[in-house]
Structures are given as structure tokens and as C-alpha cells.
Amino acid sequence: EAARLLGLPAHQKPDALSVLEKSMLSDPSPSVRRQAALSALAYEGHEPIVFIQFLLRGEASDEVRRDVIATLATAKPHLRDSEATSALTTALAEDPSPLVRRAVAKSLGARGDRRALAALEIASDKDPDKATRRAAKESPTILVPQAVSAMNFDQAVAINGTMPGPLIPWMPSGSAARP
């Protein structure tokens, strides 16, 4: 379906991810970059996470980074992915925006991945933003086994405080971008 919507032969589905990569990393419109990143997270595997890591390091818009973080934390194809958790903990430690770091702290707790506890503990003590420190302190309290797998998309949005918005129509059929 994605290949058809892009005008590609059906056997070229991986090229759809390449189109998303190009859009998320170089389109002049923040909303296009955001939608491309959110759609890329519907794909399983290592490649979408690598693209998201590049986006998080280079994206100028705090809001785009925040929305991508919230979606990365709850995207079904990446729930058990240690690289996704690593991308989130790196953003918690390094993102210059308190808005984004707060979203990361909340998202890590909603994710339910205990590998994030050390990063949350550091942020709760050392983040320069008081609200981010508070979010990091409160986040582990919602770390429960299978927290995200039992959560629907609206619950994830309520926890993360963001609304990622609709996915663009060239998402592969059968993908689960919304948990």
C-alpha cells in the first residue's frame, strides 16, 4: 500500500522508509519533518531508530523533538528495543530544551523499561530545570511491567502531554504506528 501511494512498484517498499528519512532530515517544513518521523516509527528494525537519532540531534524545533520522543516511547514496533530506550535516555541527558527533557522523563516512565532508571535518577538530581527534575523523580513511579503494551494511544498521549497527530497516508499497510 505504501509503495502504491508513493507511486513505487510493490517490491520497493524499503524505499518508502528512504523517502521518510529524506523528509524528516531535510524538509524545510517542521510539520513535514514531524509527520515523516512519526510515520518512520511504524517500521520495525534498527534503521528507523538511527534516523530518529539523527533527527533528535539536528532538529531545531523543540515541539517536533517532543512529539517524536512521545511517539518513540510508545511505538509498538520499538517497545522492547534497547536502541529506542538508549535514544530516549540520550535525549534526556543531552537535549538543550527543558520542554523536550520533561517529555523524555515522562515518556521513559510510560515506556516501562527499567533500563531507563539510571538515566531518570541522574536527571532527577542534576537536570538544570526544576520541572524536568520533578518529572524524572515521578516517572519511575509509573514503571510497571507491561505498562505500555496495555496502554492505548490516547492513554499514552495523556501521560506524555503531547498529541503526535495523524500519521501521513503513506504508512505501510498493516503497520502499527499507534499502540
Side-chain angles (χ1 to χ4, degrees):
E1 177 69 12
R4 183 186 63 75
L5 289 170
L6 289 169
L8 300 170
H11 67 279
Q12 289 188 354
K13 285 185 182 179
D15 286 334
L17 190 55
S18 296
V19 170
L20 292 171
E21 174 197 16
K22 183 177 179 183
S23 295
M24 81 171 83
L25 298 177
S26 63
D27 195 276
S29 167
S31 66
V32 170
R33 292 191 308 270
R34 176 181 163 275
Q35 291 298 338
L38 299 181
S39 293
L41 288 170
Y43 287 86
E44 293 181 356
H46 169 76
E47 199 171 8
I49 300 299
V50 171
F51 298 157
I52 294 301
Q53 288 171 321
F54 279 115
L55 174 87
L56 292 174
R57 284 192 294 265
E59 175 59 48
S61 168
D62 294 352
E63 291 78 14
V64 170
R65 291 192 319 274
R66 177 202 61 203
D67 291 351
V68 170
I69 289 291
T71 303
L72 173 60
T74 58
K76 251 187 186 169
H78 306 288
L79 284 177
R80 304 286 180 246
D81 189 336
S82 63
E83 284 184 274
T85 301
S86 178
L88 291 165
T89 58
T90 297
L92 179 61
E94 298 176 2
D95 198 280
S97 168
L99 172 78
V100 175
R101 292 192 313 274
R102 277 192 301 275
V104 174
K106 291 176 184 179
S107 295
L108 282 168
R111 188 170 172 80
D113 189 336
R114 297 199 183 280
R115 292 173 288 199
L117 286 173
L120 287 166
E121 186 174 320
I122 291 167
S124 72
D125 290 334
K126 298 185 180 188
D127 194 275
D129 178 66
K130 183 178 180 178
T132 302
R133 288 192 307 271
R134 186 174 344 115
K137 276 184 181 142
E138 293 170 358
S139 195
T141 64
I142 60 171
L143 277 170
V144 295
Q146 308 298 319
V148 178
S149 62
M151 182 185 306
N152 69 34
F153 182 76
D154 294 329
Q155 290 168 321
V157 167
I159 288 171
N160 290 307
T162 66
M163 179 54 158
L167 296 172
I168 51 181
W170 23 283
M171 187 175 10
S173 66
S175 322
R178 289 181 157 191

